[in-house]
Amino acid sequence: MQFVASLLPIIIYILVVYKIDHFALVNKRRLLQLVVGGMLMALVCFGLFSWLDGVLPDGSHPVVEEGVKAVPLLVLAGRKRMVFFIDSVICGAAVGGGFSILENLFYLVLGQDAGLGTMLFRGLEVALVHIGCSAVVAAGLVLVVRQTERWRSRLGVKPFDVVMTILLLVAAVAAHVCHNHLHFNPVMQFVSVLAVMGGLLAWTYFYDVDMIHRWLDRGLDEQIQLFQSIRDGQLINTSTGAFLESVKASFPPLVYFDIICYVRLHAELSVTAKVRFLMRESGMLPPLGENERQQVLAKYREFKQMEKNMGASAMMTIAPVVKLHPADVNAFRNLISECSIT
């Protein structure tokens, strides 16, 4: 019964967080992989603490734990598998939940004398701390990737986002340290943890739903207008066309022709990817026909080939007008995965 009491709240937390993902950003397979990854991170921490027993200073365990739990999240963020706050919170919760599962099992197996109430309390509160702190770290890592991509695309780094990134990463570690060292009435402590983590989850949900819709609505409108202007031969009358005309002399004619084709394919694929994203959100995602899938795959192969043909210099030059943000990369990846299913 102690095992059930220690694990059930963690599973409930993970499922609740997963259910807020009405955009279907994280599938069940990845969720389970992240839970297993969190359990592996708990094993790593157990080994580190056993190996460095007496060496690590007091109070450093929460810092080490958050750093180790951040490893799989950093891999996901770097590969643009997490691009919004919502999916970062879900992924972070899965890693933190997996970590808590194994930690609670260690707590029982290693002979800790704990009753049903104690294990239920650990399952409720300690798991919420791990899940919440990992979610905060994941959101911070998403911001790191966003700012890195803006810097690479020469769009400029937003000072507010830099400050927010630092605050999120520091706050996660600080919250974990405070929880481990500031003990008061157990009920009040649980209520405090629940309020802080619940408030963070609510803020993340509403903020990111709004941000996703802004990315979709504004980006989709811009891409449709750009595609129509290219199709109608009116590219020169757009801001993108004016920019491309200004850099035309910097490239040989063949490379410049590839740039125009690249911009057209980017706009067309972006529209398709975002429309499929919207349809997936609404729950009405009809399968693509064989001809449609082959056309998308052919365009994508041509798109990637042009990236190689143009070279790094051309890609850097057009980065301000052909924005491949992490969300766009992820949308492209989902579209190609959908088209590749046989």
Side-chain angles (χ1 to χ4, degrees), residues 101-113:
I101 288 173
L102 206 62
E103 185 181 64
N104 281 356
L105 291 178
F106 279 146
Y107 192 82
L108 285 172
V109 171
L110 294 179
Q112 298 289 338
D113 185 15

Side-chain angles (χ1 to χ4, degrees), residues 130-208:
H130 279 300
I131 287 172
C133 289
S134 291
V136 175
V137 169
L141 293 176
V142 165
L143 280 177
V144 170
V145 172
R146 285 183 190 173
Q147 296 311 300
T148 302
E149 292 301 315
R150 287 186 63 86
W151 176 75
R152 287 177 178 174
S153 300
R154 302 189 298 174
L155 296 174
V157 176
K158 297 180 179 179
F160 175 80
D161 285 344
V162 174
V163 173
M164 182 62 70
T165 302
I166 296 172
L167 286 177
L168 287 172
L169 296 177
V170 172
V173 177
H176 199 161
V177 171
C178 289
H179 174 266
N180 282 23
H181 292 85
L182 299 179
H183 301 288
F184 46 96
N185 182 281
V187 176
M188 291 303 299
Q189 186 167 328
F190 171 72
V191 171
S192 300
V193 171
L194 184 62
V196 172
M197 298 305 174
L200 171 69
L201 184 62
W203 173 83
T204 300
Y205 176 78
F206 290 112
Y207 174 85
D208 222 39

